[in-house]
Amino acid sequence: MSDRRGGRADEHPERGTALHLALVLLVAASGAVEAISFTALEHVFAGVMTSNLALLGMAIGRGQATGVTAAVLALTGFALGAAVTARLTRRSGDAGTCWPAPVMFSLAGEAVVLVAGAVIWAAVGGTPGQTARDALQFGAAATMGVQSAAMVAAGRAASPTTYLTGTLATYIVRGVGAGRPDRWAPAQLTALMVGAGISMLLLREARGWAGVLPAVLVVCAILTAAAPMIRMRRSSDGG
């Protein structure tokens, strides 16, 4: 990552590390959301639209109305979340070594929606009816749309957190082909699995609490990304 003056984010170790950790937490959150979306809602993904387009095509080919509805809800929710975030962050610019305020506000909005979803999920004991499942599916996809668009708006200070195919490919190409592996890529790939794994454990052992995990992870990501900047401001004010 590089800053707007052309320097490397690594020149600011505290901020660079904080943002990398925040990205890892967001990836874990997306893994947790995907586990709930695919296994406990309508067997579609909340953030991987390539797969959902394939699932939509298969559902149409099989004549499965339920599958078509679920895929359309996910695609629509994701698109709406991304579009709203794009609107909110269109003038944020590329801050390089920190996430602009509009990006942080967008992530805060994602957290609010995830908290609302967790409340609904807990209220129905983790076994929502069809209407609640549709609403939760739409909301989950919307949060992933927000997160994806927010990371795009963050520019060089971020990377994809809802789909990691490109991250894996880049890690292999740069690591094997160029000898410059990204040391944070394995952490993100692991975080995706850990988030999904813990979510599945909660679905099995404490189903009503499963919705809390993604919200907590996103809130932790926001606090992690904001902490260095808050400390810098306090130091400046104190100086």
Side-chain angles (χ1 to χ4, degrees), residues 170-183:
T170 300
Y171 179 73
I172 293 172
V173 170
R174 289 183 178 175
V176 177
R180 294 181 289 106
D182 178 2
R183 65 190 180 93

Side-chain angles (χ1 to χ4, degrees), residues 89-219:
T89 60
R90 68 188 186 283
R91 297 178 183 175
S92 61
D94 188 345
T97 55
C98 63
W99 292 345
V103 169
M104 299 294 282
F105 287 139
S106 297
L107 292 175
E110 176 191 1
V112 169
V113 176
L114 286 171
V115 168
V119 170
I120 295 172
W121 183 265
V124 298
T127 54
Q130 186 61 55
T131 301
R133 281 203 306 273
D134 288 345
L136 289 167
Q137 185 69 74
F138 183 88
T143 63
M144 294 298 96
V146 170
Q147 187 171 307
S148 295
M151 292 300 94
V152 171
R156 294 167 292 176
S159 62
T161 56
T162 60
Y163 55 95
L164 298 187
T165 303
T167 299
L168 177 59
T170 300
Y171 179 73
I172 293 172
V173 170
R174 289 183 178 175
V176 177
R180 294 181 289 106
D182 178 2
R183 65 190 180 93
W184 285 98
Q188 292 185 13
L189 295 168
T190 301
L192 185 70
M193 294 186 291
V194 171
I198 296 175
S199 188
M200 288 301 299
L201 181 63
L202 287 171
L203 285 171
R204 189 180 67 206
E205 302 294 339
R207 193 174 181 87
W209 289 91
V212 174
L213 178 63
V216 169
L217 289 170
V218 171
V219 169

Side-chain angles (χ1 to χ4, degrees), residues 29-119:
S30 70
V33 171
E34 295 294 14
I36 296 172
S37 175
F38 193 81
T39 63
L41 293 176
E42 297 292 354
H43 299 289
V44 294
F45 296 98
V48 187
M49 295 304 109
T50 303
S51 296
N52 284 344
L53 287 169
L55 291 171
L56 177 60
M58 289 188 286
I60 292 173
R62 293 172 178 171
Q64 295 178 334
T66 301
V68 171
T69 300
V72 169
L73 281 171
L75 288 162
T76 304
F78 185 93
L80 179 61
V84 170
T85 303
R87 180 80 173 175
L88 294 174
T89 60
R90 68 188 186 283
R91 297 178 183 175
S92 61
D94 188 345
T97 55
C98 63
W99 292 345
V103 169
M104 299 294 282
F105 287 139
S106 297
L107 292 175
E110 176 191 1
V112 169
V113 176
L114 286 171
V115 168
V119 170

